[in-house]
Amino acid sequence: MEAVFSYIIGLGAAVMMPIIFTILGVCIGIKFSKALKSGLLVGVGFVGLSVVTSLLTSSLGPALSKVVELYDLQLKVFDMGWPAAASVAYNTSVGAFIIPVCLGVNILMLITKTTRTVNIDLWNYWHFAFIGAVVYFATGNIFWGFFAAIICYILTLLLADYTADHFQAFYDKMDGTSIPQPFCQGFVPFAIIINKFLDKIPGFNKLNIDAEGMKKKFGLLGEPLFLGILVGCIIGALSCKNAQELVDKIPYILGLGIKMGAVMELIPRITSLFIEGLKPISDATRELIAKKFKGAVGLNIGMSPALVIGHPATLVVSLLLIPATLFLAVVLPGNQFLPLASLAGMFYVFPLILPITKGNVLKTFIIGFVILAIGLYFVTDLAPYFTQAAQDVYAKTQDAAVNIPANFDGGALDFASSPMAWIIFHLTYSFKWIGSGILVLITLFLMVLNRRAIINYQKENKNK
């Protein structure tokens, strides 16, 4: 089973997801040609997103490495990026069984009315496998690995239900969908608290700066395209050691700026492919569930956050936080992680924060700044345990993507910086039975609350 799943996951999201969605589409009654087209559009979307994010990291990587060298930055946690983290997660005993186990949990929760999310975002199940794998290698016990993964999955579904209505109200064309991805959902409770705190500051709640407002007020300066060019040029200039090199590298600096502008402009266009491909699958799944599943009123289809990362506010805030996060990585005492390959994962911090801030760029930036400052410490703290898992996978697969350089630990911004990952890990690993008991009690309590909310919602809609 482990070999079979490793082979399937090894195909990558761009191949795996079209196959899954084509089969799923046929199974739920869509014509083969339509299901195939939907699956291929999703695959093309993943390819496009991979190309654009690779452009981001391959272009910024050398410049940022030069900055690290120039300023003699001593940071000992090597950034492996989310593709390597996903490979580590799926190529373990926990990862091999994570999809059937989590699907079983999802079905059980639907039957017991403790969730209203049908999670078909199968590729992002690697996040659950990730926390499970890290706990498994830290404890040496696969039971604890699966326990951590399942708890993370249940909490993610509960948060997906909680945020679904706000998510659908904020984004266009997202009716009947939710985002059961733990990296995004893990920041929601903290974003709510920080947002409420900011609203209590006199006059701050009147500073409503959204992406469209920036365009109107600043014109070209407020466009994500122009901001991308500006940030790219600044980072390129910082990689020069003197004025003469700055002059000599003007073509390189301008080229880096254009590439960053291209990333900002292309991501929204690529995410439209995801929407076009996933909509027929989502609609057909919802219709089938409504017919076959008793009490299906209000059910949502769990989708990838890739659907909405092209929102202008996400692009602007993510771009501004790239240099801000690098600054934090350098100045924060005790931090050992410098994000380079992980910078592409920055876009996934904000899909569920924007509905909380109502797209306010300033508030979203402040929340992101605080969250990422804390997240750098989480990555540093989890790095030794992540390294254990990565070394085991490399020994078995010889996959160069998971090979950590000597004298370094491995880390990744995407899921290791999430509060959810850190809390679940330490309650499970550091506090064993007591911590696990706390997790179970909290999870059961939230499931009961969610069940009540679902039943009340269904009663209200029956009476209409």
Side-chain angles (χ1 to χ4, degrees):
M1 181 69 77
E2 187 173 346
V4 170
F5 273 95
S6 294
Y7 176 78
I8 294 171
I9 299 304
L11 296 173
V15 177
M16 172 188 166
M17 298 314 289
I19 293 172
I20 289 174
F21 281 113
T22 301
I23 295 170
L24 177 62
V26 172
C27 290
I28 60 180
I30 299 177
K31 288 183 180 179
F32 175 77
S33 58
K34 190 175 180 180
L36 179 61
K37 183 180 179 182
S38 290
L40 290 175
L41 283 172
V42 173
V44 170
F46 270 109
V47 170
L49 205 55
S50 176
V51 169
V52 172
T53 53
S54 293
L55 175 64
L56 174 70
T57 51
S58 64
S59 301
L60 277 184
L64 294 173
S65 296
K66 189 68 177 176
V67 172
V68 171
E69 181 185 327
L70 282 175
Y71 296 98
D72 193 28
L73 305 180
Q74 300 296 318
L75 300 169
K76 297 298 183 183
V77 177
F78 180 74
D79 185 3
M80 300 181 68
W82 73 261
S87 179
V88 169
Y90 273 132
N91 283 286
T92 62
S93 298
V94 176
F97 295 94
I98 199 68
I99 291 177
V101 167
C102 286
L103 285 175
V105 171
N106 197 171
I107 292 168
L108 185 61
M109 290 181 70
L110 289 168
I111 292 170
T112 57
K113 294 186 179 181
T114 49
T115 189
R116 57 189 179 111
T117 292
V118 183
N119 187 5
I120 62 173
D121 181 23
L122 300 182
W123 171 253
N124 279 315
Y125 277 42
W126 78 260
H127 291 87
F128 312 113
F130 175 89
I131 189 62
V134 172
V135 170
Y136 165 44
F137 281 98
T139 61
N141 189 321
I142 198 167
F143 164 80
W144 288 116
F146 275 111
F147 171 81
I150 291 168
I151 287 290
C152 184
Y153 188 73
I154 294 172
L155 290 175
T156 300
L157 289 178
L158 296 173
L159 282 167
D161 290 345
Y162 175 77
T163 57
D165 293 340
H166 295 293
F167 172 80
Q168 293 166 23
F170 182 78
Y171 294 101
D172 294 330
K173 301 178 182 178
M174 291 295 125
D175 291 346
T177 61
S178 61
I179 303 296
Q181 200 239 40
F183 183 61
C184 294
Q185 293 291 355
F187 300 115
V188 168
F190 296 87
I192 292 171
I193 294 169
I194 297 170
N195 186 64
K196 286 184 177 179
F197 172 77
L198 292 175
D199 282 341
K200 291 185 181 298
I201 299 174
F204 198 94
N205 57 347
K206 295 178 182 178
L207 294 172
N208 187 18
I209 306 171
D210 62 10
E212 291 302 317
M214 286 181 65
K215 290 181 186 179
K216 291 176 183 176
K217 188 170 184 178
F218 299 106
L220 182 62
L221 291 173
E223 292 276 357
L225 167 62
F226 184 80
L227 287 171
I229 293 172
L230 186 62
V231 171
C233 288
I234 290 171
I235 292 174
L238 287 173
S239 68
C240 302
K241 61 184 176 182
N242 53 46
Q244 183 59 49
E245 187 177 354
L246 180 66
V247 173
D248 293 341
K249 291 179 71 174
I250 285 177
Y252 166 76
I253 293 168
L254 294 176
L256 183 60
I258 292 295
K259 288 175 183 176
M260 292 305 96
V263 170
M264 296 300 107
E265 188 67 21
L266 290 173
I267 283 180
R269 298 172 190 255
I270 291 167
T271 55
S272 66
L273 290 172
F274 283 101
I275 295 172
E276 187 180 348
L278 289 171
K279 194 173 189 309
I281 302 291
S282 173
D283 291 345
T285 303
R286 200 176 302 109
E287 288 173 12
L288 180 67
I289 291 171
K291 289 178 184 175
K292 303 289 185 181
F293 191 80
K294 194 174 181 180
V297 178
L299 285 186
N300 296 307
I301 307 303
M303 295 289 195
S304 168
L307 288 170
V308 294
I309 63 167
H311 190 280
T314 292
L315 295 176
V316 169
V317 176
S318 299
L319 184 67
L320 294 176
L321 276 173
I322 287 174
T325 305
L326 296 172
F327 173 76
L328 285 172
V330 173
V331 301
L332 287 177
N335 171 62
Q336 289 293 305
F337 177 67
L338 179 69
L340 296 175
S342 286
L343 291 175
M346 193 82 74
F347 300 104
Y348 293 91
V349 173
F350 303 104
L352 296 172
I353 292 178
L354 291 186
I356 296 169
T357 64
K358 296 181 173 58
N360 187 313
V361 171
L362 180 59
K363 289 169 73 175
T364 305
F365 177 85
I366 292 171
I367 290 170
F369 189 84
V370 173
I371 284 172
L372 289 170
I374 299 169
L376 291 173
Y377 286 114
F378 290 161
V379 178
T380 300
D381 183 59
L382 293 179
Y385 310 104
F386 179 65
T387 302
Q388 281 183 272
Q391 288 173 341
D392 181 82
V393 170
Y394 179 71
K396 291 178 180 177
T397 65
Q398 296 300 303
D399 182 356
V402 299
N403 185 23
I404 300 171
N407 302 318
F408 280 86
D409 280 331
L413 195 69
D414 191 347
F415 190 44
S417 66
S418 168
M420 186 183 292
W422 189 82
I423 291 168
I424 290 175
F425 174 82
H426 277 291
L427 283 177
T428 307
Y429 170 67
S430 303
F431 297 96
K432 293 294 189 301
W433 291 102
I434 294 174
S436 301
I438 292 170
L439 276 175
V440 169
L441 290 174
I442 292 172
T443 303
L444 288 174
F445 175 70
L446 293 176
M447 288 172 74
V448 170
L449 288 182
N450 201 39
R451 175 178 161 81
R452 270 189 207 164
I454 290 170
I455 291 171
N456 289 337
Y457 178 88
Q458 290 177 346
K459 284 180 180 176
E460 287 172 7
N461 279 269
K462 278 183 181 179
N463 295 330
K464 288 181 181 179

